[in-house]
Amino acid sequence: MFGGCDAILHVIRLADGQKVKEVEAGAYIAASVALTEGRAYVGHYENEFLCVDLDAGKRLWTFRDKNFPYFSSPAVTKDRVLVGGRDRRLHCLRRDDGSVVWQFQTRGKVDSSPVVAGDKVVFGSDDGRVYLVRLADGKELWSFEIGEPVSASPAVVEGRLVIGSEDGNVYAFGAKDQ
């Protein structure tokens, strides 16, 4: 499944690339779609974040907070959806109804896609920082000042965090004893 400038979520069959379904999203989709249990989660350029039932081909819920588009791809857990916004916040929503669990404020837009690692969430911001927050309540646990926008999406592997920055560097963080 993917979206694009045509404001449509396209569902294709992996085996042969044939179209299975199209679902109207309402606006240009800049990010990747997260899929789980027959539902698609995606934000778009017209300031909405959606949960779509793929079988029914309709929206189950819409989150709209402020007039800022979503360029971040979401991370999905058993009961939550996390997505960065151009409103300078990381949003944590209930997966079943899209209501706000918590929001974490930064000083720059959040186009970086969040990654859930256990009970923590990591993401970058255009304020030049990489953040690590607690999944349960969005409390900041750690941050690192890079100084240039961090719009890249992080990777977490073997206990290390790897992320690129607009300063042209790739940063790796991990425990000192590794």
Side-chain angles (χ1 to χ4, degrees):
M1 176 173 238
F2 61 93
C5 296
D6 60 1
I8 295 174
L9 292 171
H10 300 273
V11 183
I12 61 170
R13 200 169 28 242
L14 185 59
D16 59 13
Q18 293 298 309
K19 179 172 62 174
V20 174
K21 184 178 290 191
E22 291 181 345
V23 179
E24 178 64 38
Y28 164 68
I29 300 166
S32 297
V33 179
L35 298 170
T36 187
E37 299 176 6
R39 294 181 177 181
Y41 301 89
V42 67
H44 62 58
Y45 196 74
E46 290 297 322
N47 318 318
E48 294 179 329
F49 187 82
L50 318 172
C51 172
V52 175
D53 180 316
L54 294 178
D55 291 333
K58 66 177 188 172
R59 292 183 190 194
L60 293 178
W61 54 258
T62 300
F63 172 75
R64 183 182 183 103
D65 186 42
K66 295 185 177 184
N67 287 329
F68 289 95
Y70 294 92
F71 282 71
S72 168
S73 298
V76 179
T77 72
K78 182 181 88 172
D79 60 349
R80 298 183 181 196
V81 180
L82 297 113
V83 64
R86 290 207 157 174
D87 61 351
R88 302 176 180 183
R89 294 185 285 176
L90 179 69
H91 302 271
C92 180
L93 309 173
R94 286 178 44 106
R95 200 172 114 184
D96 60 351
D97 64 7
S99 62
V100 175
V101 177
W102 53 259
Q103 296 175 327
F104 181 85
Q105 183 75 48
T106 72
R107 289 189 216 127
K109 62 188 176 186
V110 182
D111 288 344
S112 173
S113 300
V115 170
V116 176
D119 62 350
K120 298 170 184 68
V121 182
V122 62
F123 65 99
S125 171
D126 271 16
D127 66 7
R129 297 190 82 78
V130 178
Y131 293 95
L132 183 71
V133 299
R134 196 164 44 208
L135 178 60
D137 57 11
K139 181 182 185 316
E140 183 176 333
L141 301 171
W142 172 87
S143 68
F144 182 80
E145 174 70 40
I146 290 175
E148 293 292 328
V150 184
S151 57
S153 301
V156 178
V157 63
E158 296 182 10
R160 295 193 190 280
L161 160 64
V162 180
I163 193 165
S165 169
E166 291 184 26
D167 69 358
N169 292 303
V170 175
Y171 294 84
F173 304 95
K176 290 182 181 183
D177 61 348
Q178 291 183 339

Coordinates of all heavy atoms in Angstrom, one line a residue, residues 77 82 115-121 133-136 156:
T77 N 1.9 0.5 17.6 CA 2.1 -0.5 18.6 C 0.8 -1.2 18.8 O -0.2 -1.0 18.1 CB 2.6 0.0 20.0 OG1 1.5 0.8 20.6 CG2 3.8 0.9 19.8
L82 N 2.0 6.5 16.7 CA 2.9 7.7 16.9 C 3.2 8.3 15.6 O 3.6 7.6 14.7 CB 4.1 7.3 17.7 CG 3.8 6.7 19.1 CD1 4.2 5.3 19.1 CD2 4.5 7.5 20.1
V115 N 10.5 5.8 15.9 CA 10.7 4.3 16.0 C 10.5 4.0 17.5 O 11.0 4.6 18.4 CB 12.1 4.0 15.6 CG1 12.5 2.5 15.9 CG2 12.3 4.2 14.1
V116 N 9.7 2.9 17.7 CA 9.4 2.4 19.0 C 10.5 1.3 19.3 O 10.6 0.4 18.5 CB 8.0 1.8 19.1 CG1 7.8 1.2 20.5 CG2 7.0 2.9 18.9
A117 N 11.2 1.4 20.4 CA 12.2 0.5 20.8 C 11.8 0.1 22.3 O 12.1 0.8 23.2 CB 13.6 1.0 20.7
G118 N 11.1 -1.0 22.4 CA 10.7 -1.4 23.8 C 9.7 -0.5 24.3 O 8.6 -0.2 23.7
D119 N 10.0 0.1 25.4 CA 9.1 1.1 26.1 C 9.5 2.6 25.8 O 9.1 3.5 26.5 CB 9.0 0.8 27.6 CG 10.3 1.0 28.3 OD1 11.4 1.1 27.6 OD2 10.3 1.0 29.5
K120 N 10.3 2.8 24.7 CA 10.8 4.1 24.4 C 10.5 4.4 22.9 O 10.3 3.5 22.1 CB 12.3 4.2 24.7 CG 12.7 3.9 26.1 CD 14.2 3.8 26.3 CE 14.5 3.5 27.7 NZ 14.1 2.1 28.1
V121 N 10.5 5.7 22.6 CA 10.3 6.2 21.3 C 11.4 7.1 20.9 O 11.8 8.0 21.7 CB 9.0 6.9 21.1 CG1 8.8 7.4 19.7 CG2 7.8 6.1 21.6
V133 N 12.0 9.5 24.2 CA 10.9 9.7 25.2 C 10.3 8.4 25.6 O 10.4 7.4 24.9 CB 9.8 10.7 24.6 CG1 10.4 12.0 24.2 CG2 9.1 10.0 23.4
R134 N 9.6 8.4 26.7 CA 9.0 7.2 27.3 C 7.7 7.0 26.5 O 6.9 7.9 26.4 CB 8.8 7.4 28.8 CG 8.4 6.1 29.5 CD 8.6 6.2 31.0 NE 8.0 7.4 31.6 CZ 8.5 8.0 32.7 NH1 9.5 7.5 33.3 NH2 7.9 9.1 33.1
L135 N 7.4 5.8 26.1 CA 6.2 5.5 25.3 C 5.0 5.7 26.2 O 3.9 6.1 25.7 CB 6.2 4.0 24.8 CG 5.0 3.5 24.1 CD1 4.7 4.4 22.8 CD2 5.2 2.1 23.7
A136 N 5.0 5.4 27.5 CA 3.9 5.4 28.4 C 3.3 6.8 28.5 O 2.1 7.0 28.5 CB 4.3 4.9 29.7
V156 N 17.1 1.5 14.9 CA 17.5 0.9 16.2 C 17.9 -0.5 15.9 O 17.1 -1.3 15.5 CB 16.5 1.0 17.3 CG1 17.0 0.4 18.6 CG2 16.1 2.5 17.6

